[in-house]
């Protein structure tokens, strides 16, 4: 119960933190630091460098304290300027030997801020800061500081650690930004590939049907009934192509939807192919379970690709579509009889763009796809897709 409460509180703190810009929190940090700097009880938490003392508090001390706390308001926007003002005031404060003061701890924050937020001239800034530290050491020594040389080394390592912690945080932030950028690019590339596959499937299938019917119409010009049937088939294929293309264009207009056009059933697809003149038969084995959208679309595209290839390269040859519904997989197979011209010689079908995209689609669902010529000269496209596959 306590873990849940702590997690909820942390989530709320993060939400509140993200509401405001970093510069707003920097201003509050400057205000709080300034207020705490004038709390006498917190003076024991100050940074005492060189162990110099003896100068009483005066108005100039207040100016130096404000010069160390107020610049924190711009620590993320102008980190180098913040460190320059804060560091100069710190050097003067310690060299003059003013009493311990809580405001001196802000030098740690300024060093961290440069390491975490400085974008340009980082090495130059580090060199200048180191040179300023040498000046501080020399100044307190000339003022008669009783500190040992080892004390100066320890302080330098402490200051450098603050810088390095900030640099580490900056590196993590840059890596996270790079990971987000790469993830965004990968997602965009994947979506472009999906849209390209859909465009290929839509254009190739429907345009192939239109071309085949248009070519066949010239041989039946003397039969008005067959001409009307062919023209109706051409018109139907064109309208379906336009509907699917219109959907994909809507996706490209940043509607926020996935590039998954609404398609018909496999049975309708086979029937349309048969009505276009290609002898096609559908054989289903088993009861069809409810399929995820991605799996159902993959099955449809496998059948569509197989029928498209049959129409293109084995026109008029018997084509069989077999779909088997197993316990956890869907088996799809499209085969056609031997064509007059070997399939492999007709434009390199086995290595075409359609089959390559289809392999990617099926593989993304955890399935396998194979395609190739059969011993009898026919061609087969088969796929095995897990029912639980997700795109």
């Amino acid at each position: 119960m306590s873990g849940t409460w702590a997690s909820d509180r942390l989530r709320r703190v993060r939400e509140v933190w993200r509401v405001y810009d970093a510069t707003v929190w920097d201003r509050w940090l400057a205000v709080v630091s300034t207020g705490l700097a004038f709390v006498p009880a917190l003076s024991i938490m100050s940074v005492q460098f060189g162990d110099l003392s003896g100068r009483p508090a005066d108005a100039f001390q207040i100016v130096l304290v404000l010069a160390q706390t107020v610049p924190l308001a711009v620590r993320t926007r102008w980190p180098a300027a913040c460190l320059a003002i804060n560091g100069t005031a710190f050097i003067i404060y310690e060299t003059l030997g003013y009493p311990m003061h809580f405001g001196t701890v802000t030098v740690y924050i300024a060093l961290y801020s440069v390491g975490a937020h400085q974008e340009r001239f980082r090495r130059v800034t580090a060199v200048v800061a180191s040179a300023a530290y040498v000046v501080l050491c020399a100044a307190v020594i000339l003022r008669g500081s009783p500190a040992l040389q080892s004390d100066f080394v320890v302080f330098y390592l402490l200051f450098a650690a603050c810088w390095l912690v900030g640099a580490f945080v900056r590196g993590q932030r840059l890596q996270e930004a790079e990971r987000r950028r790469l993830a965004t690019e990968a997602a965009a590339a994947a979506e472009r590939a999906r849209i390209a596959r859909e465009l290929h499937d839509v254009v190739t299938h429907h345009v192939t049907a239109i071309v085949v019917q248009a070519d066949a119409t010239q041989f039946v010009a003397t039969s008005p009934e067959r001409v009307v049937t062919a023209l109706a088939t051409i018109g139907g294929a064109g309208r379906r192509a336009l509907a699917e293309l219109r959907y994909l264009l809507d996706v490209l207009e940043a509607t926020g939807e996935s590039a998954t056009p609404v398609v018909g059933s496999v049975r309708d697809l086979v029937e349309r192919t048969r009505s276009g003149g290609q002898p096609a038969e559908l054989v289903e084995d088993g009861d069809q379970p409810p399929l995820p959208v991605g799996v159902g679309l993959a099955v449809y595209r496998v059948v569509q690709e197989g029928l498209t290839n049959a129409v293109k390269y084995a026109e008029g040859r018997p084509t069989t579509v077999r779909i088997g519904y197993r316990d956890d997989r869907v088996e799809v197979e499209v085969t056609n009889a031997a064509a007059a011209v070997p399939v492999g010689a007709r434009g390199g079908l086995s290595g075409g763009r359609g089959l390559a995209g289809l392999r990617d689609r099926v593989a993304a669902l955890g399935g396998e796809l194979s395609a190739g010529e059969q011993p009898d000269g026919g061609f087969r496209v088969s796929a095995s897709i897990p029912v639980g596959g997700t795109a």
Side-chain angles (χ1 to χ4, degrees):
M1 183 67 179
S2 59
T4 304
W5 178 85
S7 177
D8 184 63
R9 294 292 295 179
L10 181 60
R11 180 181 58 81
R12 290 183 180 180
V13 169
R14 289 177 178 175
E15 291 177 354
V16 172
W17 180 269
R18 292 171 182 171
V19 168
Y20 299 102
D21 186 76
T23 56
V24 175
W25 293 111
D26 290 345
R27 293 167 188 167
W28 278 108
L29 177 62
V31 171
V32 173
S33 299
T34 301
L36 296 177
F38 294 97
V39 178
L42 297 179
S43 60
I44 59 175
M45 299 175 61
S46 66
V47 178
Q48 189 173 19
F49 186 88
D51 296 329
L52 295 176
S53 61
R55 187 180 181 92
D58 54 22
F60 189 53
Q61 178 198 22
I62 297 177
V63 173
L64 292 177
V65 170
L66 294 176
Q68 294 176 72
T69 59
V70 173
L72 295 181
V74 295
R75 71 179 191 90
T76 56
R77 188 174 183 181
W78 297 309
C82 172
L83 178 61
I85 299 173
N86 179 284
T88 301
F90 177 79
I91 292 174
I92 297 174
Y93 192 95
E94 297 299 325
T95 302
L96 294 179
Y98 276 113
M100 293 189 300
H101 211 282
F102 178 78
T104 55
V105 301
T106 57
V107 69
Y108 296 138
I109 302 176
L111 288 166
Y112 166 85
S113 301
V114 171
H117 302 289
Q118 181 68 18
E119 298 294 339
R120 302 177 59 190
F121 308 113
R122 292 177 59 83
R123 294 184 180 180
V124 174
T125 304
V127 171
V128 172
S130 298
Y133 182 78
V134 172
V135 172
L136 172 61
C137 294
V140 296
I141 291 174
L142 292 176
R143 288 271 298 168
S145 170
L148 301 176
Q149 293 182 354
S150 59
D151 295 335
F152 297 141
V153 174
V154 171
F155 262 105
Y156 183 80
L157 294 177
L158 180 60
F159 290 156
C162 294
W163 184 302
L164 292 176
V165 169
F168 174 78
V169 172
R170 177 177 181 272
Q172 294 296 110
R173 186 169 61 246
L174 292 177
Q175 290 180 11
E176 179 61 27
E178 180 66 10
R179 283 193 292 268
R180 288 197 298 268
R181 185 186 68 81
L182 293 176
T184 301
E185 290 182 354
E191 187 63 15
R192 285 196 298 270
R194 281 173 32 119
I195 293 174
R197 289 198 298 266
E198 298 297 343
L199 284 172
H200 172 275
D201 293 338
V202 171
V203 173
T204 302
H205 177 75
H206 294 300
V207 172
T208 297
I210 292 173
V211 171
V212 170
Q213 287 297 318
D215 289 343
T217 303
Q218 62 182 320
F219 299 107
V220 295
T222 57
S223 176
E225 296 80 5
R226 298 179 66 181
V227 170
V228 171
T229 301
L231 292 177
T233 302
I234 292 174
R239 282 189 292 273
R240 285 187 294 272
L242 287 175
E244 294 192 39
L245 288 173
R246 188 177 298 112
Y247 183 91
L248 290 175
L249 290 176
D250 290 340
V251 173
L252 289 174
E253 291 176 352
T255 60
E257 300 180 61
S258 176
T260 306
V262 178
V263 296
S265 67
V266 171
R267 186 174 298 277
D268 293 337
L269 180 60
V270 174
E271 181 60 33
R272 288 197 300 269
T273 304
R274 186 187 300 117
S275 65
Q278 181 73 13
E281 179 185 8
L282 173 63
V283 178
E284 294 184 278
D285 181 16
D287 297 328
Q288 178 178 349
L291 299 177
V293 175
V295 175
L297 180 60
V299 171
Y300 185 92
R301 292 307 189 199
V302 170
V303 175
Q304 186 181 58
E305 181 68 19
L307 292 176
T308 300
N309 290 334
V311 172
K312 290 169 63 177
Y313 304 114
E315 182 183 354
R317 300 288 181 171
T319 303
T320 303
V321 178
R322 291 185 176 88
I323 302 179
Y325 300 102
R326 311 302 178 218
D327 292 337
D328 59 345
R329 307 183 74 81
V330 180
E331 307 287 344
V332 186
E333 181 182 271
V334 182
T335 58
N336 58 261
V341 179
V343 176
R346 302 291 295 271
L349 180 64
S350 60
R353 180 187 179 96
L355 290 176
L358 203 57
R359 286 191 182 94
D360 293 340
R361 183 195 295 275
V362 173
L365 296 169
E368 299 177 351
L369 181 135
S370 62
E373 293 188 51
Q374 301 301 295
D376 61 357
F379 195 79
R380 185 184 71 164
V381 178
S382 63
S384 177
I385 307 171
V387 173
T390 57

